[in-house]
Amino acid sequence: MTSDTLYAQALEQLVDFNFDEKVANVFPDMIQRSVPGYASIVAMTGILAAEFYQKDSYCYDLGCSLGAASLSMARAIEDETLHIIAVDNSSAMLEKAQHLLLLSKRATKRATKRIPDVPENENAHYNESVIELICDDINDIKISNASVVVMNFTLQFIAPEQRAKLLQNIYQGMKKDGILILSEKLNYNDKSQQQLLIDMHHFFKKANGYSQLEISQKRQTLENVLIPETLEQHKERLNRAGFKQVEQWFQCFNFSSFIAIK
Ligand code: GEK
């Protein structure tokens, strides 16, 4: 796995974070060392998807990056006709995702040695051809006939004023009893609570080898790009979109995941 050293040196100019080739190249290392509970959320995504998947429906992975959640679902759902639609608007991410899926496909066939950068357990059996990668803005795609929609750490990058419409669009395209798995970084209205949760997240990053400089530069580049909301805002918006049950099923520091059932 290529190490994330993108912010290790003092940068003269800090530009807004974007999912370019440099980020795509180090993404597996970056996300594991930056998002507490990431591996658990990816693994549970497969477990939940397998239970709520409905035959002859689609699964969506919105903001799929390198396809970790799609792979988790593909491995967990046993259905010959499974079709996962994985969408991201970063061509750099999707190129890399395509490459990893091909490696994974060969590894599945040979089931031999591990390949660097391919998510854990990729050697497990699955029909990889079920994952369709689409390069598009998730605000512009039509969701249809979906029993499982996954949006792991993507909504936070969507302009706040577009979020309700996106969730309504997802809801409209879902089947009854289908699920949305929504994972997000959280914000807190209470100042001391917010500070403590941010501190704990930084302890996590420090323990994973990021320096103060790396943590601070990355934080500044994300400031205008990643806009977290409170747990209450998420729950309220999901309820308003029409979901009949909304539960927070995971939290580690200020990172959380929800399940919303139509
Ligand atoms: C994972 N879910 O590994 N349309 C499509 N894609 C978008 C948009 C948009 N409007 N905005 C951002 N993205 C993944 C991790 S990363 C989270 C998701 C992170 C994409 C963006 O290109 C990136 O790949 C992804 O959303 C967010 O489970 O890096 O913190």
Side-chain angles (χ1 to χ4, degrees):
M1 198 182 308
T2 315
S3 303
D4 168 23
T5 54
L6 297 183
Y7 297 98
Q9 308 300 327
L11 299 170
E12 264 178 35
Q13 216 191 348
L14 288 174
V15 292
D16 279 352
F17 187 85
N18 79 92
F19 293 94
D20 58 13
E21 202 185 332
K22 279 194 218 144
V23 169
N25 284 336
V26 299
F27 192 73
D29 182 60
M30 173 184 275
I31 195 141
Q32 275 184 58
R33 288 164 67 209
S34 307
V35 175
Y38 174 74
S40 296
I41 290 175
V42 170
M44 298 311 146
T45 294
I47 290 174
L48 294 174
E51 293 296 332
F52 286 90
Y53 170 74
Q54 297 172 33
K55 198 154 175 52
D56 298 323
S57 70
Y58 298 131
C59 297
Y60 285 82
D61 181 3
L62 305 179
C64 62
S65 298
L66 303 187
S70 294
L71 278 168
S72 181
M73 291 195 278
R75 288 196 303 264
I77 301 172
E78 285 179 28
D79 181 357
E80 296 276 288
T81 63
L82 178 64
H83 189 121
I84 300 172
I85 299 162
V87 187
D88 205 291
N89 64 354
S90 158
S91 52
M93 281 289 189
L94 286 191
E95 254 171 54
K96 181 104 177 142
Q98 180 76 57
H99 178 67
L100 292 178
L101 287 180
L102 282 173
L103 286 180
S104 178
K105 187 173 180 174
R106 277 185 223 132
T108 309
K109 278 197 181 133
R110 282 187 272 124
T112 52
K113 61 180 191 290
R114 282 205 43 74
I115 293 170
D117 268 2
V118 178
E120 287 264 348
N121 287 333
E122 47 70 30
N123 289 340
H125 176 76
Y126 76 94
N127 179 4
E128 69 294 325
S129 60
V130 301
I131 303 174
E132 180 188 358
L133 298 173
I134 295 180
C135 192
D136 209 337
D137 188 324
I138 57 172
N139 293 302
D140 297 337
I141 59 159
K142 181 163 167 52
I143 311 266
S144 65
N145 192 30
S147 61
V148 180
V149 178
V150 178
M151 191 154 53
N152 283 344
F153 306 108
T154 304
L155 190 65
Q156 59 197 17
F157 291 103
I158 302 295
E161 65 277 10
Q162 291 184 304
R163 294 179 188 180
K165 187 166 167 253
L166 172 58
L167 283 167
Q168 278 153 17
N169 182 32
I170 292 170
Y171 180 85
Q172 292 308 329
M174 283 173 62
K175 291 174 80 80
K176 182 177 176 298
D177 299 322
I179 56 161
L180 166 67
I181 298 171
L182 174 69
S183 306
E184 286 278 293
K185 183 177 186 181
L186 293 181
N187 221 14
Y188 292 83
N189 287 331
D190 179 86
K191 261 192 174 173
S192 74
Q193 203 180 8
Q194 169 76 350
Q195 194 54 56
L196 178 60
L197 272 295
I198 287 178
D199 286 348
M200 289 194 281
H201 178 220
H202 289 174
F203 301 155
F204 171 84
K205 292 188 80 166
K206 191 172 126 197
N208 282 332
Y210 283 121
S211 67
Q212 284 308 325
L213 178 70
E214 286 176 295
I215 294 172
S216 141
Q217 293 197 121
K218 175 89 178 284
R219 186 179 49 75
Q220 289 175 66
T221 64
L222 281 172
E223 217 146 51
N224 303 319
V225 181
L226 191 171
I227 300 165
E229 293 173 304
T230 64
L231 179 131
E232 294 75 22
Q233 281 174 301
H234 284 296
K235 281 191 157 182
E236 199 189 299
R237 190 171 38 222
L238 288 165
N239 285 323
R240 246 188 294 128
F243 289 98
K244 67 179 175 198
Q245 190 172 7
V246 177
E247 301 291 345
Q248 184 197 35
W249 64 268
F250 180 89
Q251 178 151 359
C252 184
F253 306 136
N254 43 353
F255 288 77
S256 185
S257 191
F258 302 87
I259 181 171
I261 305 178
K262 177 159 176 175

